[in-house]
Amino acid sequence: VLGSLRTCAQMISYEIPMGFSVIGVVMLAHSMSLLDIVESQAGLWNVVTQPLGFFVFFVAGLAEAQRIPFDLPEAEGDLGAGYHTEYSGMRFSFFMISEYLIVVFLSALIVILFFGGWHGIPVIPLPPVVWFLLKLSFFIWVFMWLRFTFPRYRYDQLMSIGWKVLLPLSLANILISGVFMI
């Protein structure tokens, strides 16, 4: 019950800023199509024009994946292996696979929305698939590195970050994007 309450409160505090951080990218691409967003980054990646949006999306993505430092519902340090200690076999593997699929999915979204998707650096001619896989692998590595580096935040600190830092930054990103579009 405590884990589900934490999950609901945590979800509200980071999913709103995460959605708002994508609005700046959509405004610049003039489309919600992921293909159009990638094509709009052929010359300049969105991470250059949307650093606040990237920061908010990345931090909210860590919370979405419930990775350290935002793994409060799971609490692997408090409970042996987290809430799924009583599972074994296929059930346990489904939990583990789903956790890592979320990391892969969020890394792919970061690459598509902010790092040009399959567009690479013109100096280094590689096939588009290789560029995408290199960027994807880098962000998966970053997710893993952060998991092994940082301690967990307390519940009140997480809620404070979501409401007092991420939400104002995402709203400022929308405002700045609108000003530059004018």
Side-chain angles (χ1 to χ4, degrees):
V1 172
L2 183 60
S4 64
L5 291 174
R6 284 179 173 180
T7 301
C8 290
Q10 180 179 338
M11 215 182 314
I12 291 169
S13 69
Y14 64 76
E15 287 204 5
I16 294 170
M18 187 179 206
F20 283 167
S21 68
V22 176
I23 290 175
V25 172
V26 170
M27 288 169 63
L28 292 179
H30 301 290
S31 174
M32 291 186 73
S33 167
L34 293 178
L35 181 63
D36 292 341
I37 290 172
V38 171
E39 291 305 322
S40 73
Q41 298 178 70
L44 185 65
W45 294 349
N46 282 338
V47 72
V48 176
T49 58
Q50 298 280 316
L52 279 178
F54 167 69
F55 174 76
V56 171
F57 190 86
F58 184 74
V59 172
L62 284 173
E64 176 73 35
Q66 295 180 355
R67 307 294 285 177
I68 289 176
F70 305 111
D71 68 336
L72 294 173
E74 196 171 300
E76 287 180 2
D78 301 341
L79 308 169
Y83 59 87
H84 43 68
T85 54
E86 298 172 2
Y87 294 106
S88 64
M90 287 303 289
R91 290 185 181 130
F92 180 74
S93 65
F94 283 142
F95 277 115
M96 288 287 106
I97 289 170
S98 70
E99 283 185 16
Y100 288 102
L101 281 176
I102 291 171
V103 169
V104 171
F105 177 71
L106 286 170
S107 297
L109 274 178
I110 289 171
V111 169
I112 288 170
L113 294 174
F114 295 100
F115 283 87
W118 49 83
H119 295 295
I121 302 169
V123 179
I124 306 170
L126 291 174
V129 173
V130 174
W131 274 114
F132 185 79
L133 290 176
L134 283 172
K135 294 175 193 178
L136 182 72
S137 300
F138 172 75
F139 280 104
I140 291 171
W141 175 79
V142 169
F143 270 87
M144 302 285 182
W145 173 70
L146 289 174
R147 178 180 175 88
F148 301 132
T149 305
F150 290 105
R152 182 183 312 125
Y153 286 115
R154 288 189 330 255
Y155 182 70
D156 61 321
Q157 291 172 327
L158 171 64
M159 299 298 286
S160 180
I161 287 172
W163 291 112
K164 295 179 183 176
V165 177
L166 296 181
L167 186 61
L169 284 177
S170 62
L171 292 173
N173 183 52
I174 294 171
L175 181 67
I176 293 168
S177 298
V179 167
F180 280 117
M181 286 184 69
I182 292 175

